[in-house]
Amino acid sequence: MLLMLMVVLCYTICSLSDKYAVAKIKFNGNELTFLMAAATAVFMTFTLPFVDTHVVWGLPAVAAILLLTASKMLEFQMSALILRDMSAFELKAWLGICLFASYFTDIAMKTQVFSWVRLAFIAVTVVGLILIAQAGRKNIHYGKILLPLIVYLAAKYGYGFVIAAAEPYISSTMCLYFALILLALILLPVVHPVRLFKEKRNGGLFVVLTKIPNVAGLLGENAVIAVSLANYSFIQPMILVVLFFWGIARKEEEHDLLSVLGGIVCIIGIVGFQLL
């Protein structure tokens, strides 16, 4: 639980900085993704002497790197499409599907045993997410975003599944490290980093430096995945709850009593699952 809280803290810092980068500095999706991937890979280099770096080169290891790269690319690209018609809170609520999928994957992989009580706490968390989603509800045209939404959810679930399944062949750190480098190389011709830093020098430096906690978050997240995919799936709802109450504290937008109740319900579900 302490490791998960550390990951949530790191990712919350990154979420707030990314929000600032998009809203104030006007980075587009490709620019922000490139800076995230490149800067995180650079900072991760300094952690390699202190973490598990085993790699058994072969088809499984290469496939894991490619799948992880695709997962991250799809996650960022699909979320950009979805958020045109759906609020960030509503999108996070849909991640409740990943909670159930990850829990039953844990059972199939024999890292957890089935428990009706744990399943009930997952359901409680999902109910809380849905209630929070009311705060940002829009008139959503699901016919237009259904396919991107399915791909996004598959990418979020697939990330944890690939990390867990590839562990015998390549460590989670090395798999992510190579995937981030590959992602940065793919976006390099699109972004033109020299021109980017000339036009938005201070903003680029700000985004790069905020990827230091992102490295700690990614390494911690991979450690959580090694224990349980269900625990990994709880990280995003936990971040959502923190950002939700952060927004209330800063009075960024109005929230009704139902959405506040949703935040409390989410906390009950998360804490109950972890206590078990």
Side-chain angles (χ1 to χ4, degrees), residues 140-147:
I140 301 170
H141 304 287
Y142 278 103
K144 187 167 64 173
I145 65 167
L146 182 60
L147 182 58

Side-chain angles (χ1 to χ4, degrees), residues 24-28 31 35 190-205:
K24 301 295 184 181
I25 309 174
K26 306 300 182 183
F27 283 115
N28 62 38
E31 290 170 343
L35 289 174
V190 179
V191 172
H192 305 293
V194 175
R195 186 179 67 193
L196 175 65
F197 273 94
K198 281 184 178 180
E199 295 175 354
K200 303 173 182 177
R201 182 177 178 181
N202 291 335
L205 183 61

Side-chain angles (χ1 to χ4, degrees), residues 69-232:
T69 304
S71 172
K72 282 297 180 185
M73 179 67 81
L74 288 171
E75 176 188 338
F76 294 130
Q77 296 299 325
M78 293 303 103
S79 63
L81 291 174
I82 295 166
L83 290 174
R84 294 173 186 172
D85 286 85
M86 179 183 287
S87 73
F89 285 130
E90 190 110 27
L91 178 57
K92 296 292 187 186
W94 276 95
L95 288 173
I97 294 174
C98 293
L99 284 173
F100 286 104
S102 296
Y103 180 59
F104 285 110
T105 302
D106 276 343
I107 294 169
M109 297 175 69
K110 301 186 186 308
T111 57
Q112 290 202 43
V113 295
F114 179 77
S115 165
W116 282 108
V117 180
R118 283 197 169 191
L119 191 63
F121 277 120
I122 290 177
V124 168
T125 305
V126 173
V127 169
L129 290 173
I130 293 171
L131 292 175
I132 290 177
Q134 305 303 311
R137 180 169 291 281
K138 298 179 180 179
N139 185 20
I140 301 170
H141 304 287
Y142 278 103
K144 187 167 64 173
I145 65 167
L146 182 60
L147 182 58
L149 180 60
I150 292 172
V151 174
Y152 173 81
L153 294 174
K156 292 295 293 182
Y157 167 77
Y159 176 87
F161 182 79
V162 170
I163 287 287
E167 189 63 31
Y169 309 101
I170 181 170
S171 72
S172 58
T173 300
M174 295 307 292
C175 192
L176 179 60
Y177 181 63
F178 288 124
L180 288 172
I181 292 174
L182 185 56
L183 185 58
L185 290 175
I186 291 171
L187 290 173
L188 186 62
V190 179
V191 172
H192 305 293
V194 175
R195 186 179 67 193
L196 175 65
F197 273 94
K198 281 184 178 180
E199 295 175 354
K200 303 173 182 177
R201 182 177 178 181
N202 291 335
L205 183 61
F206 169 78
V207 172
V208 167
L209 290 177
T210 57
K211 297 312 161 192
I212 295 176
N214 191 50
V215 172
L218 287 168
L219 295 178
E221 182 180 56
N222 288 346
V224 171
I225 290 171
V227 177
S228 165
L229 281 177
N231 283 353
Y232 154 71

